[in-house]
Amino acid sequence: MNATVSIPLWLFVLLLALAAVACLQWFLLPGVRWYFRRKVRRVLDEIQLRLKIELPQFKLTRRRALIDRLMSDPRVMAAAQQHGIETGKSSAAVKKQVLGYAREIVPAFNAYVYFRVGYWLAKTFARLVYRVRLGYTDDAAIAAINPKSTVVFVMNHRSNMDYILVSFLAAERVALSYAVGEWARIWPLQGLIRAMGAYFVRRNSGDPLYRMVLQRYVQMATEGGVPQAMYPEGGLSVDGRLREPKLGLLDYMLKGFSPDAERDLVFIPVGINYDRVIEDRSLLRKLDETPPSGSLWRTLRITGAYLGRQFVFTLLGRRYRYGYACVNFGRPLSMRGWVRERGVDFRGLTDAQRRDAVGAVGQALMATIGQTIPVLPVPLVARVLAADPQRAWSELELKAAVLALMERAENQGAHVYVPRSDRDYAISVGLRMLTLRHLALDDEGLIRANPAELRVLSYYANSIAHLFDAPRETGPEGPV
């Protein structure tokens, strides 16, 4: 007697689909890989010929090779052995832990993703949201940098838009590798970020083994000439003011620096400012003693409502971009010149001495970044209104006060961005932005700060406060 076996229809369809995928992978995957490799080669040829960007070999090294190099690094292996002794873990368990850290940190740079996909997305989104402007650039000093130097862009951190804005504006000069916080380690964002050449950093990690893996990767990238970008503040400014520097990544870069090496280490200060920061209210909520608990549903609801309003405003022709977003590039700081001028050799210092020496570099960089931050229309008007929130100003009085503040900033060497080279227009634009957001109230021609929004108004005034206020007496914070 013959027995028959019946296969459920859904199982048959599933098996058929799996077989089809396997066939497609077998026949088509080599072709797809060849196609994208050819695309990458074309991009590399173009950026070398048209943009004169020469990518360092370290940046083009396969990710697997970089991970293996980290795993076999003598200092990482010594740290792993010490970790095993202290924790009682087996060598296999510690090795697996190191491998996890290496995979977490090491990027997977893809030239096609960076210069085609990433650049287009960054440019499109930045211009959709802001009037993007490249303000002051010390072209002569930047052009004088030795091409063999390792260049590190150090910048203030106002918004998560900073990554997009600076990458877009610097893409025709350099392919930047960012240090990105853990917030971005979500699918599918982390894959895109790694393909853009960024590496992830755990802030305030107390694990010595993790710190050694991170340290060695940063040092390898620096020694390999990879252009990098970092935020010395270590995070977003929650009140609008410049924060004191955290020195972890800076210490990693400097502790093995040799002034006699082939590569100089050059820091380029970058100042960023906005007429409106997308996350301003979210950041300010962090100052509350008991900040409201955020849920995914609440975030989606607020985002949906915001996008709906913007869609309606667009249909009605009443949608305005978020004012100006401006980036300035200041005078580079050569570490070769710094250590020779001061007779400092970071390699021969004790930990305490090196912390002091690195702290001096961090303070110098933050001072230069502060001087490089663009002075935009909204912060200028906001500072005048926030300084005397009870006063009602006529438009003429307000413009005169803002104009005096603008001249004062210029006399102190600050870079004031004046759209259309028209100061009256610049002040009008700043006032319009504040009244549209109800941060300033216009009562029959008299303008005053909105008492209910004074904290938001002060947030924007604080972005340029360091140019006018006495420096605060606080020391640098600890390492990453």
Side-chain angles (χ1 to χ4, degrees), residues 58 99 362 428 468:
F58 184 92
L99 179 60
S428 298
F468 307 100

Side-chain angles (χ1 to χ4, degrees), residues 129-145:
V129 179
Y130 294 104
R131 293 186 176 101
V132 179
R133 298 293 184 266
L134 176 59
Y136 169 81
T137 304
D138 196 331
D139 290 314
I142 292 176
I145 297 174

Side-chain angles (χ1 to χ4, degrees), residues 439-476:
L439 303 182
L441 303 176
D442 188 342
D443 183 12
E444 297 181 355
L446 293 178
I447 303 159
R448 60 165 54 88
N450 184 347
E453 299 286 0
L454 191 57
R455 189 163 73 161
V456 181
L457 197 67
S458 298
Y459 171 85
Y460 289 96
N462 287 343
S463 69
I464 57 174
H466 58 278
L467 298 171
F468 307 100
D469 299 342
R472 292 168 292 171
E473 293 297 329
T474 54

Side-chain angles (χ1 to χ4, degrees), residues 13-26:
V13 172
L14 178 61
L15 292 173
L16 192 63
L18 289 174
V21 169
C23 291
L24 285 173
Q25 184 175 5
W26 178 267

Side-chain angles (χ1 to χ4, degrees), residues 1 11 18 24 74 94 128 136 153 156 176 180 189 191 203 238 244 251 254 262 271 275 348 377 385 390 404 417 440:
M1 183 176 179
L11 181 58
L18 289 174
L24 285 173
V94 175
L128 180 68
Y136 169 81
F153 291 78
N156 63 307
L176 293 176
V180 181
L189 188 58
R203 299 294 180 187
V238 295
E244 292 296 322
D251 182 53
L254 292 177
E262 179 185 14
D275 274 339
L385 291 176
Q390 305 300 323
Y417 178 72

Side-chain angles (χ1 to χ4, degrees), residues 63-64 67-68 70-71 76 80 91-107 182 185 190 194 200 202 207 209-210 213-214:
R63 183 168 183 258
R64 179 69 255 181
I67 291 174
D68 290 341
L70 263 181
M71 295 286 294
V76 172
S91 59
V94 175
K95 185 176 181 180
K96 184 178 179 180
Q97 187 175 349
V98 173
L99 179 60
Y101 290 155
R103 286 176 173 170
E104 176 184 320
I105 294 168
V106 176
E182 290 180 281
R185 290 189 61 210
Q190 68 175 355
R194 280 202 177 98
F200 293 101
R202 297 184 185 183
D207 184 350
L209 182 58
Y210 169 80
V213 177
L214 175 62

Side-chain angles (χ1 to χ4, degrees), residues 349-372:
L349 301 178
T350 64
D351 287 345
Q353 291 172 333
R354 195 182 68 252
R355 278 196 295 269
D356 291 340
V358 173
V361 176
Q363 293 294 344
L365 288 174
M366 290 305 299
T368 311
I369 291 170
Q371 197 68 24
T372 309

